Amino acid sequence: MNEVFNKIKNGLIVSCQSEGLDPFNTPSGVTLFAKAAQMAGASAIRSQGLAKIRMIKKQVPLPMIGLLKGKFPDGTVKITGSTRQVEQLLGLGCEIIAIDGTFRKRENLTGPEFIKKLKLDYPNLVVMADIATIEEGVTCEASGADCLSTTLSGYTPDTASLPKDIPDFALLESLAKKCKIPVIAEGKIKSPEEAKKMMELGAFAVVVGTVITRPRVVMGWYKDAIKEGTTD
């Protein structure tokens, strides 16, 4: 565990994911982004989907933060929400597995309760708890999580009112002060300046995804900005 955290400390973790009809939404597509991340000096990759993770692991020798996405009954995202999924990711050799650490229930357990059970059942499992609030982060640490990520801030019912285009700097700063385990900044980070600010606020490392690995989305931002600025 110490070895993998030494590798990612103070580094850039690139989230190589894609969705829907995006042309990069294939194992080979996200693997190309992972290769580019390695060339740029990234310290780790974060990805989801068994086929995608399998291909990246074969071709890119960086630590993998693996996850499988699902949905809660209300339609909000769920990160690696079952024991079966954890076993599948372990089978692929993921160095770290991201687990939904929110208080929402899966397998009749809240995120912290689920993490506590997993740590008992799989002693060598390294857990990144994806959380949305300070309380969730503190409770996940007490339940045995090895690190925290601010991934889900703004994407849960309790945090849906937060700005959709601004990283949750306050959450990162508070967790970095309260928790002894590494706190990793993730979510809505769109510029080097924002990544730098996260590090200054105490982040252990920074995850960046959309602005790097979803060019179709970024192109849409430019298109919309141009439309808004059109005067005739």
Side-chain angles (χ1 to χ4, degrees):
M1 182 174 68
N2 289 334
E3 181 181 354
V4 70
F5 282 116
N6 286 338
K7 289 180 179 179
I8 67 175
K9 185 177 182 180
N10 298 329
L12 167 66
I13 301 168
V14 179
S15 180
C16 296
Q17 301 183 45
S18 192
E19 295 179 345
L21 298 177
D22 194 295
F24 295 101
N25 191 19
T26 64
S28 59
V30 295
T31 299
L32 288 175
F33 278 119
K35 288 181 176 180
Q38 180 190 3
M39 292 175 66
S43 61
I45 302 296
R46 177 175 163 120
S47 191
Q48 83 91 26
L50 298 177
K52 294 170 183 174
I53 292 172
R54 184 180 294 110
M55 182 173 284
I56 293 173
K57 287 290 290 179
K58 287 181 179 178
Q59 300 187 31
V60 180
L62 293 177
M64 170 63 72
I65 302 167
L67 62 124
L68 292 172
K69 284 185 177 179
K71 290 185 177 181
F72 286 97
D74 63 3
T76 54
V77 66
K78 175 170 58 178
I79 307 294
T80 316
S82 72
T83 302
R84 172 59 178 158
Q85 290 181 333
V86 171
E87 292 176 345
Q88 290 174 315
L89 292 168
L90 284 173
L92 293 179
C94 294
E95 285 81 1
I96 300 174
I97 295 180
I99 304 290
D100 196 303
T102 65
F103 291 144
R104 297 170 293 177
K105 288 193 174 183
R106 78 304 313 264
E107 296 192 352
N108 296 316
L109 300 171
T110 66
E113 291 169 345
F114 185 51
I115 289 170
K116 186 174 183 178
K117 182 178 184 300
L118 289 172
K119 293 294 287 185
L120 290 172
D121 293 342
Y122 305 92
N124 295 323
L125 172 65
V126 181
V127 170
M128 170 184 282
D130 286 356
I131 53 83
T133 68
I134 296 171
E135 293 78 12
E136 290 167 350
V138 170
T139 309
C140 283
E141 179 182 35
S143 298
D146 301 289
C147 65
L148 305 173
S149 177
T150 57
T151 315
L152 292 172
S153 174
Y155 298 99
T156 66
D158 291 343
T159 61
S161 62
L162 292 173
K164 299 302 181 183
D165 57 350
I166 301 174
D168 197 339
F169 296 109
L171 175 61
L172 181 284
E173 183 177 21
S174 294
L175 288 172
K177 290 178 179 178
K178 289 178 178 290
C179 298
K180 296 180 180 180
I181 60 175
V183 181
I184 295 170
E186 181 174 6
K188 299 172 282 189
I189 299 169
K190 297 180 180 179
S191 70
E193 291 75 21
E194 289 177 342
K196 178 184 177 182
K197 183 174 179 179
M198 285 296 194
M199 294 303 297
E200 292 171 344
L201 293 175
F204 186 84
V206 176
V207 178
V208 181
T210 296
V211 74
I212 294 176
T213 60
R214 294 183 181 175
R216 178 184 59 82
V217 175
V218 177
M219 292 173 197
W221 298 342
Y222 282 94
K223 182 199 69 173
D224 293 344
I226 290 168
K227 184 176 180 180
E228 290 175 6
T230 300
T231 58
D232 56 9

